[in-house]
């Protein structure tokens, strides 16, 4: 699987769009327990905006337990969506479920995606993605009903690598969990299981550089990777896995002002920024703040959680979900270990706030 790596939105090649061939268009059966757009009458929901350190507007959705005593300070969690997605895909579900357990939870759109600012749309900037998590901590810490010493973070898929990058230089994140994590740097440099050659990497870099020239001269923005828009007889199983979420009613979502033609697809010229992204370098310096790595035992991405767990210092925990693939942990509430997340944050955020 040459190209940008099988990145979180289904990036299987840098020229993935060229492979959108006609053919078998059989829609996959809905995965049991999938409930991406779950809502709860136990939770109050509010759309919020705030600025990051670079004065770019960040869009978030704030979930609070219904009947929350706003005269008390409560534990809070920032939740980041998969790479190529928006907060309405997976992040809102996790935030809702954590709010049901008594946490204040904030889902955020990463810079350049969803309702957050950044031009061109769908641009790749690992530093600004990490900054979105810190901006979420800024916002939560400014709320009178949030305990600034009890803020944690959850990164799903690509956001797992962004939250690690953020936590290394932001000690206000007192406990960090990742779910179905992708190391977006390693995925872009090497693809899954180091299946991409250096020559292929250099081809991708050259294509991005050429696209920069074209856009500087006034050419149209081009996109890469992402999830295919049609299934063909030879569509790769990993692409089918992403298609089942991003291209069917299960998880399909086009943000206001966006286009269904470009959802999940990063810009071609910027996507190589990931090749300079090394989130696991110095991961051990997050200690003694605890880390939890959650992955499915069937996940095609499990190499990244395993490596992060190996490199991280104590306290750390690896939680493996039997029978779960990568995308299963986006929205299959029958498989997502919300009880484990609740126990993890309940234990460690309480300790942090003492």
């Amino acid at each position: 699987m040459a190209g940008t790596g099988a990145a979180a939105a289904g990036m299987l090649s840098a020229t993935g769009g060229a492979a959108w061939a006609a053919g078998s268009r059989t829609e996959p059966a809905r995965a049991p327990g999938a409930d991406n757009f779950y809502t709860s009458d136990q939770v109050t929901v509010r759309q919020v905006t705030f600025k990051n350190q670079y004065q770019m507007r960040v869009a978030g959705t704030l979930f609070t337990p219904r009947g929350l005593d706003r005269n008390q300070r409560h534990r809070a969690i920032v939740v980041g969506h998969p790479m190529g997605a928006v907060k309405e895909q997976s992040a809102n579900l996790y935030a809702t479920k954590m709010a049901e357990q008594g946490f204040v939870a904030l889902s955020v759109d990463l810079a350049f995606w969803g309702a957050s600012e950044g031009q061109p749309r769908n641009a790749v900037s690992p530093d600004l993605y990490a900054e979105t998590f810190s901006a979420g901590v800024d916002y939560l810490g400014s709320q009178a009903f949030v305990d600034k010493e009890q803020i944690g973070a959850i990164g799903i898929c690509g956001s797992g690598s962004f939250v690690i990058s953020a936590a290394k230089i932001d000690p206000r994140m007192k406990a960090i969990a990742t779910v179905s994590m992708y190391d977006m740097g390693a995925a872009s440099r090497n693809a899954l299981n180091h299946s991409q050659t250096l020559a292929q990497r250099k081809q991708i870099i050259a294509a991005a550089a050429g696209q920069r020239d074209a856009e500087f001269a006034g050419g149209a923005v081009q996109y890469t990777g992402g999830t295919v828009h049609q299934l063909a007889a030879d569509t790769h199983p990993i692409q089918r896995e992403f298609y089942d979420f991003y291209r069917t009613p299960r998880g399909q979502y086009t943000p206001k002002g966006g286009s269904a033609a470009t959802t999940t697809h990063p810009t071609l010229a910027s996507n190589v920024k990931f090749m300079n992204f090394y989130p696991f370098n110095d991961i051990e310096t997050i200690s003694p703040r605890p880390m939890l790595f959650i992955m499915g035992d069937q996940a095609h991405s499990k190499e990244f959680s395993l490596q992060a767990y190996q490199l991280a210092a104590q306290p750390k925990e690896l939680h493996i979900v039997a029978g779960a693939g990568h995308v299963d942990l986006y929205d299959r509430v029958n498989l997502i270990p919300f009880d484990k997340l609740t126990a993890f944050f309940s234990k460690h955020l309480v300790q942090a706030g003492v």
Side-chain angles (χ1 to χ4, degrees), residues 25-162:
R25 299 188 183 184
T26 303
E27 297 289 338
R30 179 68 64 86
D35 201 359
N36 178 69
F37 299 106
Y38 173 79
T39 59
S40 174
D41 59 8
Q42 302 174 46
V43 174
T44 300
V45 181
R46 181 162 63 94
Q47 303 303 317
V48 299
T49 60
F50 45 93
K51 295 292 184 71
N52 67 15
Q53 195 174 48
Y54 302 96
Q55 298 306 299
M56 298 167 64
R57 187 184 70 249
V58 176
T61 304
L62 185 67
F63 299 83
T64 55
R66 190 171 295 278
L68 181 79
D69 183 354
R70 292 177 177 261
N71 294 316
Q72 299 291 323
R73 294 187 181 272
H74 303 273
R75 301 166 297 181
I77 301 170
V78 183
V79 185
H81 57 76
M83 176 60 202
V86 292
K87 62 184 180 299
E88 288 79 8
Q89 293 166 310
S90 193
N92 279 1
L93 168 62
Y94 274 72
T96 301
K97 289 290 188 178
M98 298 311 293
E100 284 184 335
Q101 299 303 313
F103 297 90
V104 174
L106 174 71
S107 66
V108 289
D109 278 329
L110 298 178
F112 304 100
W113 296 87
S116 288
E117 285 188 337
Q119 292 292 335
R121 304 308 296 159
N122 300 16
V124 168
S125 177
D127 282 350
L128 285 175
Y129 295 166
E131 165 63 19
T132 302
F133 277 93
S134 289
V137 175
D138 294 340
Y139 175 80
L140 287 172
S142 73
Q143 304 304 300
F145 52 87
V146 170
D147 187 332
K148 294 177 67 172
E149 296 301 316
Q150 295 192 37
I151 298 176
I154 299 172
I156 304 162
C157 202
S159 277
S161 58
F162 309 143

Side-chain angles (χ1 to χ4, degrees), residues 251-274:
Q252 189 171 32
Y253 186 89
T254 301
K256 184 178 179 180
S259 167
T262 59
T263 58
T264 78
H265 302 293
T267 65
L268 173 61
S270 71
N271 200 47
V272 290
K273 303 291 187 185
F274 279 135

Side-chain angles (χ1 to χ4, degrees), residues 173-189:
M173 299 178 196
K174 303 300 185 182
I176 299 93
T178 71
V179 182
S180 285
M181 179 170 55
Y182 253 86
D183 173 349
M184 294 302 302
S188 296
R189 289 185 296 274

Side-chain angles (χ1 to χ4, degrees), residues 263-320:
T263 58
T264 78
H265 302 293
T267 65
L268 173 61
S270 71
N271 200 47
V272 290
K273 303 291 187 185
F274 279 135
M275 294 194 184
N276 277 341
F277 181 47
Y278 294 83
F280 296 169
N281 283 6
D282 299 322
I283 188 175
E284 72 278 3
T285 63
I286 293 174
S287 176
R289 289 172 289 151
M291 302 192 72
L292 170 65
F293 305 96
I294 297 174
M295 69 176 204
D297 66 351
Q298 304 300 309
H300 65 260
S301 58
K302 59 187 179 182
E303 63 183 282
F304 304 120
S305 292
L306 291 172
Q307 182 185 18
Y309 175 73
Q310 180 182 22
L311 294 173
Q314 295 289 351
K316 61 182 178 180
E317 186 172 357
L318 177 66
H319 183 82
I320 300 174

